[in-house]
Amino acid sequence: MRDIDIITSTSGNRIKNLIKLKNKAGERRNTRLFLVEGKRLYSEVPKELLEETYVSKSFYDALGDKDREELLLGRDYFVVADSVFSKISDTKTPQGIMAVVKQPGYQPSDVIASEGIKIVLENIQDPGNLGTIFRAAEGAGASGVIMSRDTVDLFSPKVVRSTMGTIFRMPFCFYEDTEELIGAFREKNVKSYAAYLDESQRYDKMNFAADKAVAFFIGNEGNGLRRETALNCDERIIIPMGGKLESLNAAMAATILMYEAARQRGF
């Protein structure tokens, strides 16, 4: 076992930078780094993306030889006092391990042109919704998640936790202009469907298996899709509501549509 120097102060640049990565989307955007916290999520990080590992003193002391080798051997890691770890952690009950990770990236053209099912998100703001949509996309065998730039930060600690590791497995990209995106879909024979309340057909009456690729557009939790977006899409679809409900949670709607498309396509 190597001799351990324990970081006991939050005043050093290393810890200050961790706190910035935790709290500031701009810092994550500029550095192309983000934080992953917790033993399970840490184990999902591809080795080529792992930059640094931080463990609390109590977590480190509790590790057996096998766990220490599995989690830390060959990695650039630092042990910090429990009081310091609580400052860099984004959870109320820290698990004692976190990592600085490079942001994964994909070519937008590859995601847009991929066959199968894609989900397009316009201004989704709830971290839990975004993470759930990523998990549902993986579960439904989707080929990509495409997000508008004003969607909640994918690399914020809350979203990262909510993805439960799918952030490392589900291809994704961002778009600037909706009209250009839909135009690119048409060039690649991707049929676009807007989840929209007005002038729409029931989703369960549609044939999602007729095209090699389909894209479902899901809008903001409070306002739904912009009308211009819905009218630009090839089709507008609605999930029928019973009782007095007007609409479903964005993540639930996205999940229903992706799984119905997957069912029709024999997934």
Side-chain angles (χ1 to χ4, degrees):
M1 187 188 305
R2 78 179 197 188
D3 293 333
I4 298 299
D5 292 323
I6 301 170
I7 299 174
T8 59
S9 171
T10 59
S11 62
N13 287 336
R14 187 176 296 279
I15 299 302
K16 286 181 178 179
N17 289 338
L18 291 177
I19 293 172
K20 286 180 184 177
L21 280 177
K22 178 182 75 168
N23 294 330
K24 297 185 177 183
E27 183 73 9
R28 295 189 289 269
R29 198 161 45 243
N30 292 335
T31 61
R32 303 292 298 165
L33 300 171
F34 68 109
L35 298 181
V36 164
E37 186 173 355
K39 187 175 179 180
R40 178 179 174 182
L41 195 52
Y42 176 80
S43 68
E44 297 271 8
V45 180
K47 289 183 179 180
E48 66 272 16
L49 297 182
L50 184 63
E51 287 279 286
E52 297 174 340
T53 299
Y54 292 82
V55 292
S56 68
K57 178 65 163 54
S58 59
F59 180 91
Y60 183 82
D61 289 343
L63 285 175
D65 290 341
K66 182 178 179 181
D67 281 341
R68 185 174 287 123
E69 180 175 335
E70 181 181 323
L71 293 172
L72 303 177
L73 184 66
R75 293 165 169 83
D76 192 9
Y77 71 90
F78 302 87
V79 180
V80 303
D82 288 13
S83 59
V84 174
F85 198 92
S86 68
K87 298 295 184 183
I88 61 177
S89 171
D90 190 61
T91 63
K92 290 182 180 179
T93 54
Q95 294 184 39
I97 184 168
M98 71 163 48
V100 178
V101 180
K102 298 174 186 175
Q103 295 180 11
Y106 302 85
Q107 288 297 324
S109 57
D110 292 341
V111 180
I112 290 168
S114 60
E115 294 184 0
I117 302 163
K118 285 176 278 289
I119 195 81
V120 182
L121 307 177
E122 183 179 87
N123 192 225
I124 296 296
Q125 292 301 302
D126 182 82
N129 273 341
L130 184 55
T132 299
I133 289 168
F134 262 73
R135 297 201 310 274
E138 182 177 30
S143 60
V145 177
I146 304 172
M147 296 159 280
S148 63
R149 286 290 181 186
D150 54 3
T151 293
V152 63
D153 181 16
L154 174 62
F155 298 104
S156 72
K158 288 183 174 61
V159 175
V160 172
R161 284 199 303 276
S162 185
T163 69
M164 296 179 67
T166 59
I167 192 172
F168 299 118
R169 299 186 295 272
M170 175 53 55
F172 63 84
C173 68
F174 302 90
Y175 69 96
E176 306 285 350
D177 184 275
T178 305
E179 191 171 343
E180 287 183 7
L181 175 63
I182 295 173
F185 279 153
R186 289 188 178 127
E187 287 180 6
K188 300 299 181 180
N189 297 312
V190 180
K191 190 163 185 177
S192 56
Y193 292 88
Y196 195 63
L197 295 178
D198 299 328
E199 306 166 30
S200 301
Q201 304 177 67
R202 287 174 60 120
Y203 82 101
D204 52 354
K205 303 298 183 184
M206 308 300 290
N207 183 358
F208 299 130
D211 299 277
K212 285 187 176 181
V214 295
F216 295 111
F217 281 70
I218 301 291
N220 174 271
E221 292 89 346
N223 302 313
L225 281 177
R226 294 184 300 117
R227 182 169 176 78
E228 305 93 292
T229 300
L231 293 179
N232 270 328
C233 287
D234 296 323
E235 301 280 359
R236 291 176 294 283
I237 53 176
I238 188 170
I239 300 171
M241 297 288 112
K244 296 182 179 180
L245 288 179
E246 291 184 359
S247 64
L248 293 173
N249 169 286
M252 186 176 292
T255 300
I256 289 171
L257 295 176
M258 286 189 288
Y259 269 86
E260 173 59 16
R263 183 193 68 80
Q264 290 186 18
R265 300 165 80 89
F267 177 70

